[in-house]
Amino acid sequence: MNGLLIVDDEIQVQTFFSYLLRKKDIALSFAGNAAEVSAALEKSTYQAALVDLKLPDSNGLDILKTIKKRMPACRVIIMTGYSTVKSALEAIRLGAEDYIEKPFDDINELEALIDSLFTTPATQRQTDLIQLAEQTGFIIGTNPDMYNLLSLAYKIARKNITVLIEGETGCGKEVLARFLHEASMRSSQPFVGVNCGAFTETLLESELFGHEKGSFTGALHSRKGLFEAASKGTLFFDEIADASPAIQVKLLRVLETREFMRIGSEQIRHTDARIIAASHANLEQEVERGRFREDLLYRLNVVKLVVPPLRHRKEDIPHLVRHLIRRQHMNENIFAPETLSVMQEYNWPGNIRELANVVTRALALSDGESGPITPDYLPASIIKQQTVSFSQAIEQPAQKNPVPQLSLEEYVEEWKHELLAQWQNGHSIDLPAIMERIRELEKTIGTAFVGRALKESWGNQQKASRLLNISVRKLRYLLHEKGK
Ligand SMILES: Nc1ncnc2c1ncn2[C@@H]1O[C@H](COP(=O)(O)OP(=O)(O)OP(=O)(O)O)[C@@H](O)[C@H]1O
């Protein structure tokens, strides 16, 4: 017979479980404090346990640790009130299988959960998680922190709680939000994302709450906002720290009351959207700096998931590269092993987005060649070479197996990306290296324009200097400086 230990000091709860499970093939035992738990563990073996977080003489987390130490295979469910959801998540980190909120308002769900403890193997959840991650394009790799993060996300996905995701730019916050949506009961409903930094305050307000026809200049039609569009689904606020103080107040109100009004309307509307917010900035620090409302953070931060930066999980790089290649329908093994090694040496300030750009760029430059992609196809900043100057790019004859060279647009884009990633990273700032990159940008842009003017004037320095709005002397000086 299956053994189930109920750890709760309330007699009514014990009576409730005796009644609920009376017809099941389950041997029920009860314990109301730490000593009774120890005695119960001495007497019998349990396949599962339901543990209340709040006990008179001890903490449910300590009970969980005791059970897991004495009976590692025992599957533990934590029972918690809403105010202790954070501790329940800590319990999941410590090995609890799941948590349920008290009072139990869905008895069928509770019964199904208890049944599943005895019928569904624990490994089934793992398999489901991996399959769903694959379906949503979330590559797990082999880093244990990433697996634990996803496993926690999977467990909380079905709860209707607000989730805050923090992590550096490009590390996968939105992909994680999509995974949460897909793993939730709302997966058949819309997932709607909005980047709070991409709109002016007025536009963001209209985007979120909608507006009535004629409510402002240009409002030619009535329009639903995202709170309505995502009402039964998930509403994802990307870069929440960029929301203005006025928008923050309005968001707080909706989170508290679940009600809002379209701009230009007095009709109160209701939303059931599940809110997930993401930020590359640490919101606690933003609160300290007076840039983010503490009460809004409190509402958003029911559960916080922190996505580690790619440099802390470099072992995942080959998995991610193969996934990014597959996404472009190409042979996933086209990157030479030494190329992957070089990529694992680099720190990826722009995280997976930067990795995706580098992979796309290398594939484009190799232009369908069948041979393996060598480190030559990586940007200079990754192979730790000076970026090839634009003038060289113009003047040098094509070489056999050339180092891929950047157009000015690509160079500026990459430069901007690297600098912004440094700015947003906020951990280790290497100011001398940044200043060096600024000087490099100045030199590269200057050289590019000189090269273009010379090309357009067929090498005539007089004409070129006029095009550049500088004197011929200055042009000669610049050309001399660049070693021509
Ligand atoms: N675990 C992952 N598996 C596969 N692809 C990923 C993973 N994480 C991120 N990516 C890819 O990296 C890119 C950036 O991811 P995403 O937009 O989720 O990052 P982000 O942290 O939300 O970025 P930002 O801070 O700029 O909003 C996307 O192309 C995404 O598909």
Side-chain angles (χ1 to χ4, degrees):
M1 198 187 255
N2 295 314
L4 174 65
L5 177 63
I6 307 276
V7 184
D8 199 309
D9 61 311
E10 288 177 59
I11 290 296
Q12 300 91 311
V13 174
Q14 299 192 0
T15 318
F16 164 78
F17 278 110
S18 302
Y19 184 76
L20 180 74
L21 305 174
R22 70 193 181 285
K23 291 194 183 139
K24 295 194 189 283
D25 189 24
I26 293 176
L28 263 186
S29 301
F30 296 99
N33 55 42
E36 286 176 19
V37 170
S38 293
L41 292 174
E42 285 293 319
K43 246 191 355 219
S44 188
T45 318
Y46 303 96
Q47 280 73 42
L50 267 67
V51 177
D52 189 31
L53 258 189
K54 280 192 180 158
L55 292 169
D57 67 336
S58 61
N59 180 320
L61 294 182
D62 293 333
I63 302 279
L64 165 72
K65 285 185 208 158
T66 310
I67 296 177
K68 279 285 168 191
K69 200 165 160 207
R70 303 269 289 274
M71 276 175 211
C74 177
R75 300 168 75 175
V76 181
I77 303 286
I78 292 292
M79 298 185 282
T80 172
Y82 181 76
S83 58
T84 47
V85 162
K86 278 200 166 64
S87 312
L89 294 168
E90 181 55 26
I92 287 181
R93 287 196 180 96
L94 290 172
E97 179 123 350
D98 204 342
Y99 74 87
I100 40 171
E101 275 183 54
K102 280 202 329 188
F104 314 116
D105 40 45
D106 189 340
I107 304 298
N108 292 334
E109 195 187 346
L110 175 65
E111 221 182 318
L113 178 67
I114 294 173
D115 284 343
S116 75
L117 291 174
F118 300 107
T119 51
T120 318
T123 48
Q124 182 61 44
R125 266 195 148 179
Q126 243 171 323
T127 317
D128 293 348
L129 180 161
I130 291 167
Q131 260 177 13
L132 189 70
E134 257 170 36
Q135 279 164 22
T136 42
F138 194 114
I139 298 302
I140 311 178
T142 53
N143 180 279
D145 292 343
M146 267 325 267
Y147 181 79
N148 291 339
L149 178 76
L150 208 65
S151 172
L152 178 61
Y154 189 65
K155 286 175 180 170
I156 58 160
R158 295 169 84 85
K159 322 274 177 198
N160 243 342
I161 46 181
T162 306
V163 180
L164 174 64
I165 307 177
E166 280 186 6
E168 289 178 12
T169 182
C171 67
K173 298 185 290 295
E174 180 165 348
V175 190
L176 182 61
R178 284 183 187 277
F179 174 82
L180 277 163
H181 173 74
E182 290 304 325
S184 75
M185 315 281 271
R186 299 165 177 261
S187 58
S188 59
Q189 299 293 329
F191 173 94
V192 181
V194 57
N195 186 325
C196 301
F199 295 92
T200 60
E201 182 178 307
T202 334
L203 266 180
L204 182 59
E205 186 181 352
S206 151
E207 198 60 22
L208 291 176
F209 304 109
H211 59 252
E212 293 299 344
K213 185 177 169 184
S215 54
F216 53 84
T217 326
L220 302 177
H221 309 280
S222 294
R223 192 162 164 250
K224 271 187 185 176
L226 301 181
F227 272 109
E228 270 174 277
S231 190
K232 291 195 167 59
T234 303
L235 182 48
F236 173 59
F237 289 95
D238 202 0
E239 298 309 349
I240 186 79
D242 289 342
S244 69
I247 294 284
Q248 289 181 31
V249 174
K250 292 189 167 115
L251 284 181
L252 179 66
R253 207 170 300 141
V254 186
L255 285 176
E256 280 172 352
T257 60
R258 295 265 142 203
E259 288 173 351
F260 66 97
M261 286 182 285
R262 287 186 186 173
I263 301 174
S265 159
E266 303 217 321
Q267 187 192 338
I268 293 177
R269 292 167 199 270
H270 184 84
T271 180
D272 184 33
R274 192 235 190 118
I275 308 295
I276 302 180
S279 168
H280 73 265
N282 177 316
L283 287 185
E284 269 135 28
Q285 280 173 10
E286 293 298 290
V287 168
E288 275 166 28
R289 291 175 187 147
R291 293 202 286 243
F292 201 78
R293 293 185 68 99
E294 189 172 11
D295 42 11
L296 180 57
L297 173 60
Y298 175 77
R299 284 273 161 193
L300 295 173
N301 186 12
V302 178
V303 179
K304 178 152 93 177
L305 301 176
V306 182
V307 185
L310 187 54
R311 67 179 169 284
H312 291 171
R313 43 183 166 122
K314 287 185 172 175
E315 66 270 44
D316 288 353
I317 290 177
H319 300 269
L320 286 160
V321 169
R322 281 195 288 275
H323 161 78
L324 293 164
I325 302 172
R326 277 198 305 273
R327 222 161 62 172
Q328 306 210 16
H329 310 290
M330 295 180 76
N331 168 10
E332 64 172 33
N333 294 317
I334 195 166
F335 273 57
E338 65 267 30
T339 312
L340 293 173
S341 305
V342 172
M343 292 169 97
Q344 281 177 294
E345 290 292 307
Y346 180 64
N347 264 346
W348 300 103
N351 293 291
I352 305 180
R353 178 170 302 108
E354 186 184 3
L355 182 74
N357 288 342
V358 167
V359 169
T360 308
R361 177 179 181 277
L363 292 174
L365 287 169
S366 74
D367 198 20
E369 281 170 30
S370 56
I373 291 184
T374 59
D376 294 340
Y377 288 92
L378 300 176
S381 50
I382 292 180
I383 46 177
K384 298 201 181 90
Q385 288 174 9
Q386 273 273 310
T387 306
V388 182
S389 78
F390 196 73
S391 64
Q392 282 171 306
I394 295 171
E395 301 299 332
Q396 276 180 4
Q399 304 160 358
K400 201 164 172 274
N401 200 11
V403 170
Q405 308 198 337
L406 306 181
S407 69
L408 184 64
E409 289 86 350
E410 280 171 335
Y411 173 81
V412 173
E413 218 15 72
E414 191 171 292
W415 187 95
K416 183 183 96 183
H417 193 69
E418 269 181 36
L419 259 277
L420 283 181
Q422 282 264 0
W423 173 251
Q424 287 155 357
N425 163 6
H427 296 301
S428 54
I429 300 163
D430 186 353
L431 191 59
I434 293 171
M435 298 316 288
E436 181 53 39
R437 289 288 276 148
I438 292 172
R439 282 191 289 277
E440 190 194 301
L441 175 78
E442 196 183 330
K443 198 170 159 197
T444 307
I445 291 187
T447 312
F449 277 99
V450 168
R452 196 173 87 178
L454 279 170
K455 254 189 142 183
E456 283 172 14
S457 52
W458 297 94
N460 182 323
Q461 293 186 359
Q462 290 275 359
K463 277 189 186 165
S465 64
R466 276 201 298 277
L467 280 175
L468 292 162
N469 199 19
I470 55 172
S471 66
V472 182
R473 236 179 110 201
K474 172 93 180 175
L475 176 62
R476 287 201 184 116
Y477 167 78
L478 287 176
L479 290 174
H480 177 71
E481 196 193 29
K482 315 250 178 284
K484 288 198 184 168

